């Protein structure tokens, strides 16, 4: 599919696996409004922000302002409203020169200097990896499945050990990004329910991470929050092949993944079925339906739960997502790219980063002048 006519997030919605709906668990969220009050026993210990595009924005002169209009370091602003974790994607050799190993090393240093923990998100690609596409990096083109297993181990260990070597070992690692039907296609794609090829790759990523640091938690991430049947199919499949992981990671965008009740049910089932903590590593909501540049927004008119696309609406939906995750027993929620506001030259396509616009400018928590949404909070 033409990458300039469809965003990574739009492709995600089109590529989800068809499966029969699983029987719903008892619903503990209110369908017509906010989730029920959280008990004191449930807390979100991981309160995260994916800030992978931030360094490019800063390099282009972006300024960030707190709710009072004071210019501050964006990481300080995020920390002041509850963020304690950042997520950084790593691509193998992107043409843009951003989100590669050297860039991630710098971003990790900046985050740790602010007292923030770091989740490293391995895409194993030179560009976006999501349910609709999982392109191998150019240097791995033509490699056999056996070679790819070696590649995954070597790349994972190299990035992790480089982070460790500069005094910023990752606090957690994600092996693959939204790998609903596998990664490193076609060799690592799940075809005819055969999980063995993918399992071999995931095991290498897990082993490399543990060789780098035995206590580093490993996440395996799918965008299956829309369907418990799909989630069970995937995680049952890798578990049957002996894949190990420490945290189950999900994406949840309400316009693609359904109701808050659906999110709640899926978290509860995944926790119980696999006996592992659950983290929502991606979510977001629009603060406007308008568009800041010539690039169509990934999310245009879609809204959820009767909540408007306003600053107040964005804050409310994010609060409800956190409440739902907390009530269901998840340990964390990450907002995806809250700092990626409309900065000219910080496009979405790493192969044409200057010439492509920002498809997320209405989903960031900073407006088009760089001022933070005063209502957004990451809450324990």
């Amino acid at each position: 599919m033409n990458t300039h006519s469809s965003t990574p997030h739009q492709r995600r919605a089109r590529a989800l696996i068809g499966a029969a709906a699983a029987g719903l668990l008892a619903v503990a969220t209110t369908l017509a409004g906010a989730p029920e009050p959280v008990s004191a026993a449930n807390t979100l210990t991981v309160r995260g922000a994916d800030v992978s595009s931030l360094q490019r924005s800063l390099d282009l002169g972006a300024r960030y302002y707190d709710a009072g209009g004071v210019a501050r370091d964006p990481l300080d602003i995020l920390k002041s409203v509850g963020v304690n974790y950042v997520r950084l994607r790593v691509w193998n050799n992107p043409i843009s020169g951003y989100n590669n190993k050297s860039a991630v090393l710098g971003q990790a240093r900046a985050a740790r200097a602010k007292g923030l923990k770091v989740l490293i998100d391995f895409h194993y690609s030179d560009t976006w990896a999501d349910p609709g596409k999982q392109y191998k990096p150019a240097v791995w083109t033509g490699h056999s499945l056996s070679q790819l297993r070696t590649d995954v181990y070597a790349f994972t260990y190299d990035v992790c050990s480089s982070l460790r070597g500069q005094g910023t070992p990752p606090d957690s690692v994600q092996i693959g990004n939204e790998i609903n039907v596998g990664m490193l296609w076609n060799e690592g794609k799940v075809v005819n329910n055969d999980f063995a090829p993918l399992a071999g790759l995931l095991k290498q990523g897990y082993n490399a991470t543990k060789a780098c640091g035995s206590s580093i938690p490993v996440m395996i991430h799918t965008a299956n929050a829309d369907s418990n049947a799909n989630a069970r199919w995937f995680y049952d499949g890798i578990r049957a092949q002996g894949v190990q992981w420490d945290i189950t990671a999900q994406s949840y965008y309400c316009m693609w993944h359904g109701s808050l009740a659906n999110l709640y049910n899926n978290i509860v089932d995944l926790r119980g079925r696999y006996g592992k903590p659950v983290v929502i590593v991606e979510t977001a909501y629009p603060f406007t339906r308008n568009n800041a540049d010539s690039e169509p927004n990934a999310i245009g008119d879609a809204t959820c739960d009767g909540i408007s696309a306003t600053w107040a609406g964005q804050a409310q939906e994010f609060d409800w997502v956190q409440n739902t995750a907390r009530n269901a027993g998840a340990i964390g929620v990450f907002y995806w790219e809250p700092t990626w506001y409309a900065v000219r030259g910080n496009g979405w396509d790493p192969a044409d980063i200057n010439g492509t616009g920002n498809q997320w400018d209405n989903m960031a928590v900073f407006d088009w002048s760089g001022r933070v949404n005063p209502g957004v909070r990451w809450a324990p």
Side-chain angles (χ1 to χ4, degrees), residues 45-90:
T45 57
V46 176
R47 301 181 298 279
D50 187 314
V51 293
S52 297
S53 70
L54 176 57
Q55 189 56 54
R56 172 72 175 180
S57 296
L58 291 170
D59 289 349
L60 289 168
R63 299 288 300 276
Y64 292 86
Y65 302 88
D66 64 19
V70 177
R72 297 174 61 192
D73 185 301
L75 294 179
D76 286 334
I77 296 173
L78 291 173
K79 188 175 179 181
S80 74
V81 294
V83 169
N84 66 0
Y85 230 112
V86 298
R87 180 176 184 244
L88 303 173
R89 65 177 166 267
V90 58

Side-chain angles (χ1 to χ4, degrees), residues 110-369:
R112 281 292 187 80
K114 300 295 184 181
L116 298 167
K117 293 185 176 182
V118 176
L119 164 61
I120 300 298
D121 174 15
F122 284 95
H123 283 227
Y124 301 111
S125 182
D126 296 332
T127 187
W128 302 98
D130 55 50
K133 59 182 178 63
Q134 297 278 335
Y135 299 139
K136 290 189 289 289
V139 293
W140 298 356
T141 299
H143 286 198
S144 66
L145 182 60
S146 177
Q147 289 174 302
L148 290 171
R149 287 194 293 266
T150 300
D151 294 334
V152 167
Y153 187 100
F155 185 75
T156 306
Y157 184 80
D158 178 53
V159 172
C160 184
S161 62
S162 295
L163 286 162
R164 184 188 62 194
Q166 70 170 13
T168 61
D171 297 284
S172 52
V173 161
Q174 186 183 306
I175 304 301
N177 189 77
E178 294 189 329
I179 56 173
N180 292 30
V181 289
M183 65 187 198
L184 293 169
W185 293 353
N186 288 320
E187 289 76 6
K189 191 171 188 177
V190 180
V191 179
N192 296 326
N193 298 314
D194 181 8
F195 281 86
L198 172 62
L201 298 171
L202 294 177
K203 289 175 182 178
Q204 291 303 305
Y206 180 92
N207 292 340
T209 302
K210 297 301 183 179
C212 175
S214 60
S215 64
I216 299 172
V218 172
M219 299 186 186
I220 294 185
H221 172 211
T222 67
N224 279 326
D226 67 311
S227 169
N228 185 243
N230 290 352
R232 284 186 173 197
W233 172 82
F234 178 88
Y235 291 103
D236 281 0
I238 62 171
R239 181 173 64 175
Q241 292 291 329
V243 173
Q244 298 181 72
W245 73 99
D246 303 309
I247 297 172
T248 304
Q250 296 278 280
S251 295
Y252 176 74
Y253 298 94
C254 60
M255 58 287 301
W256 294 319
H257 298 133
S259 68
L260 293 168
N262 193 56
L263 173 64
Y264 175 91
N265 292 330
N266 205 38
I267 292 171
V268 170
D269 186 65
L270 294 177
R271 285 179 57 231
R273 191 173 184 86
Y274 305 108
K276 304 177 191 303
V278 174
V279 171
I280 305 304
V281 292
E282 294 188 26
T283 194
Y285 198 75
F287 68 84
T288 180
R289 297 173 186 264
N290 296 328
N291 184 13
D293 61 19
S294 60
E295 193 81 31
N297 291 334
I299 306 297
D301 294 333
T303 55
C304 311
D305 304 312
I307 297 177
S308 61
T310 61
W311 265 14
Q314 182 185 64
Q316 182 178 17
E317 179 67 21
F318 184 48
D319 186 47
W320 286 11
V321 170
Q322 290 180 90
N323 286 349
T324 301
R326 188 185 297 109
N327 288 345
I331 65 168
V333 175
F334 284 77
Y335 196 103
W336 197 78
E337 289 283 12
T339 60
W340 194 13
Y341 80 89
V343 180
R344 184 180 297 276
N346 195 1
W348 68 268
D349 184 357
D352 186 18
I353 196 168
N354 293 304
T356 53
N358 181 346
Q359 299 172 343
W360 211 246
D361 53 54
N362 67 326
M363 301 288 283
V365 303
F366 292 83
D367 70 10
W368 302 342
S369 64

